[in-house]
Amino acid sequence: MGRVIAIANQKGGVGKTTTAVNIAASIAISEFKTLLIDIDPQANATSGFGIETGDEIDNTFYQVMVKGGDIRDAIHTSSIGFLDVLPSNVNLVGMEVELVNMREREYVMQKALRQVRDNYDYIIIDCPPSLGLITLNSLTAADSVLIPVQAEYYALEGLGKLLNTISIVRKHLNPKLEIEGVLVTMFDARLRLATQVASEVRKFFKDRVYRTYIRRNVRLSEAPSHGKPVLLYDAQCLGSKDYLDLAMEIFERDGNIKKFKVTQQ
């Protein structure tokens, strides 16, 4: 059964979608079967793989969640061999309202994923920058949540609300939900502030913080405009190295590092 990891932080601009796209690509390139689910109405993870985000897409996450569509019909193959994508588009804007009157509205995503969960090693969910019903569905369906934290002054602002939401989900909806890890993003070692923020994050979350920091990198910022994860845009850049290192840490924590080494031999 695939491990489901939600990438969430209600604060915008922390590198959440960048992390979702590039960690999914890094896991898939390591030959683990991976599904990336875009549940953000901005659909940046979808366009990050060169998939059209307009109304002309017949099957998206919206059709699965609201219209009762078959999740298997909405999954697209990507340009990376072991990676599939469940796209989003602007129709998700109204989904929060449409979910309100549904029975067991917090479990819609969990039920949909049962049809495909056994087909993947990892399922990565890119959540919107909010703690509404869409994100709540993701946390209810997930095994764990990965929290990107920007290495800037307001890094810890609002994290209390996210941690409180995780606690509530654990208590009432998904008692098995864990914190997968805390990821420091947009890190610049030349700046004293970045180093101080990273230190504070590590002091607060301790060993939950990944050893890998995602460094500021121009190629990482350019890749989405080309509809590619950074590994396909520039495999040698710092961004590619950092996300591959992060994938190795995830495998290590999940006990999959041995399987990874076997596939590389």
Side-chain angles (χ1 to χ4, degrees):
M1 182 180 289
R3 182 162 181 77
V4 181
I5 302 174
I7 299 181
N9 191 329
Q10 79 274 21
K11 189 175 185 298
V14 299
K16 179 179 54 57
T17 297
T18 298
T19 294
V21 167
N22 290 294
I23 195 57
S26 298
I27 290 172
I29 282 175
S30 304
E31 298 188 2
F32 287 92
K33 187 65 176 169
T34 308
L35 174 64
L36 172 63
I37 302 179
D38 187 355
I39 64 170
D40 189 339
Q42 297 179 72
N44 289 333
T46 300
S47 62
F49 277 96
I51 299 172
E52 193 63 49
T53 61
D55 291 334
E56 60 271 20
I57 300 182
D58 293 329
N59 288 305
T60 65
F61 183 72
Y62 175 81
Q63 275 71 32
V64 174
M65 291 287 286
V66 176
K67 304 299 182 182
D70 191 322
I71 191 171
R72 291 164 291 195
D73 294 334
I75 291 173
H76 293 230
T77 56
S78 79
S79 51
I80 296 176
F82 285 76
L83 178 63
D84 293 334
V85 179
L86 177 53
S88 169
N89 65 14
V90 72
N91 289 334
L92 259 69
V93 169
M95 196 173 88
E96 296 266 356
V97 176
E98 296 187 62
L99 283 174
V100 166
N101 294 319
M102 283 190 179
R103 291 184 59 189
E104 298 186 317
R105 60 193 181 187
E106 297 90 354
Y107 295 95
V108 178
M109 187 173 188
Q110 184 185 80
K111 292 175 181 176
L113 283 182
R114 288 174 187 162
Q115 301 176 65
V116 298
R117 188 162 177 171
D118 288 341
N119 299 338
Y120 297 96
D121 296 303
Y122 286 92
I123 298 174
I124 306 297
I125 306 172
D126 181 30
C127 299
S130 71
L131 295 177
L133 265 176
I134 299 178
T135 299
L136 195 59
N137 257 270
S138 172
L139 297 179
T140 302
D143 296 305
S144 59
V145 54
L146 190 158
I147 306 171
V149 178
Q150 188 178 6
E152 293 191 359
Y153 183 72
Y154 292 111
L156 299 177
E157 182 182 306
L159 272 184
K161 290 182 180 178
L162 176 58
L163 296 176
N164 185 55
T165 298
I166 292 171
S167 177
I168 291 170
V169 170
R170 274 199 197 115
K171 184 175 181 180
H172 298 287
L173 300 169
N174 182 6
K176 296 181 179 180
L177 183 66
E178 302 173 352
I179 293 180
E180 179 75 20
V182 178
L183 177 66
V184 176
T185 62
M186 305 181 195
F187 181 75
D188 188 340
R190 298 169 300 179
L191 302 177
R192 181 184 298 177
L193 177 61
T195 303
Q196 289 175 341
V197 169
S199 177
E200 286 298 313
V201 170
R202 193 167 291 281
K203 187 185 299 182
F204 186 80
F205 288 102
K206 299 183 171 57
D207 59 353
R208 289 176 174 174
V209 181
Y210 291 107
R211 297 187 303 271
T212 302
Y213 293 171
I214 307 302
R215 291 167 286 184
R216 285 194 178 275
N217 179 240
V218 173
R219 307 299 270 176
L220 194 57
S221 302
E222 291 173 348
S225 65
H226 295 268
K228 296 178 180 180
V230 71
L231 277 165
L232 296 186
Y233 181 62
D234 184 349
Q236 303 300 319
C237 73
L238 291 177
S240 294
K241 180 184 184 304
D242 290 346
Y243 277 108
L244 284 170
D245 287 347
L246 176 61
M248 294 305 105
E249 277 201 68
I250 290 174
F251 299 155
E252 185 181 316
R253 291 188 181 194
D254 290 348
N256 279 332
I257 195 70
K258 290 182 180 179
K259 179 180 175 183
F260 167 73
K261 288 178 179 178
V262 168
T263 63
Q264 303 307 301
Q265 291 176 356

